[in-house]
Amino acid sequence: MKVSALVVAGLLLFPFSNVLAQEVNDAQIASIVVTANQVDIDAGKLAKSRSTNDEVKAFAELMITDHTSVNKSATDLVAKLKVSPQNNPTSQSLKAGGEKNLAHLKTLKGAAFDKAYVDHEVAYHQQVIDALDNILIPGATNGELKALLIKVRPAFVAHLEHAKRLQSSTTEG
């Protein structure tokens, strides 16, 4: 199982490393934010339907609710600013990574599914926080977009801590 966690972590490093290689504008940041949230919503929906662990199901429901709320705030803001999210290599890689994660999770059942889902959530939230801190917040030029990113950051930190607690209870012997 450690190989699987390393593969997932490697997939996650790739999308956000693309941000470092490109200059990002506010429209691209908006696309990255919406895509990153959608990836977690999709994984949460799968976990909610597949997991047999009540704690994992509750966490998945929280991911669906919170990330849907962030996406609504982001899309409302870009509509207000009359900015269209601009597809870019990072958002494309995030989407592809999310699809690979879902495909992998669909091959698993029971405790193996729960562990893989939670391990992914830990790695994914850490990568999102790192991207927020090092790239997205500093790169945002619009004050309202920057404020939204700063406002949602604590929720991502709380999700990471929650996922880490779950991870310790879903670790296989």
Side-chain angles (χ1 to χ4, degrees):
M1 276 306 186
K2 292 199 187 305
V3 173
S4 143
L6 290 174
V7 169
V8 170
L11 290 173
L12 293 172
L13 291 173
F14 176 71
F16 289 109
S17 66
N18 281 348
V19 180
L20 296 172
Q22 70 176 5
E23 290 292 321
V24 290
N25 60 38
D26 288 348
Q28 292 169 328
I29 290 171
S31 179
I32 291 166
V33 169
V34 169
T35 304
N37 280 291
Q38 191 59 53
V39 162
D40 216 19
I41 292 165
D42 294 343
K45 286 178 179 178
L46 180 64
K48 185 179 171 191
S49 71
R50 287 259 177 122
S51 179
T52 56
N53 180 312
D54 289 340
E55 289 181 74
V56 172
K57 282 185 171 193
F59 179 77
E61 180 63 38
L62 179 67
M63 295 305 95
I64 295 165
T65 301
D66 286 1
H67 290 286
T68 299
S69 175
V70 172
N71 263 2
K72 181 174 179 355
S73 296
T75 54
D76 288 352
L77 178 60
V78 296
K80 174 186 168 193
L81 299 174
K82 295 181 172 67
V83 172
S84 295
Q86 183 182 352
N87 206 5
N88 58 80
T90 301
S91 59
Q92 292 166 349
S93 291
L94 284 168
K95 184 175 181 184
E99 290 168 357
K100 286 179 186 175
N101 178 53
L102 289 177
H104 172 68
L105 288 174
K106 286 177 181 177
T107 68
L108 303 172
K109 293 181 181 177
F113 174 90
D114 292 339
K115 181 176 178 355
Y117 170 68
V118 172
D119 286 349
H120 179 269
E121 288 299 299
V122 169
Y124 193 70
H125 281 88
Q126 185 61 62
Q127 290 297 313
V128 170
I129 292 165
D130 291 345
L132 280 167
D133 291 347
N134 300 315
I135 299 149
L136 302 177
I137 292 171
T141 57
N142 178 278
E144 290 180 82
L145 177 60
K146 188 177 286 228
L148 175 64
L149 296 172
I150 291 168
K151 177 183 170 190
V152 300
R153 187 188 180 283
F156 285 93
V157 172
H159 292 168
L160 174 62
E161 294 308 313
H162 189 165
K164 283 180 177 178
R165 285 191 305 275
L166 272 179
Q167 189 178 46
S168 67
S169 68
T170 58
T171 301
E172 294 175 348

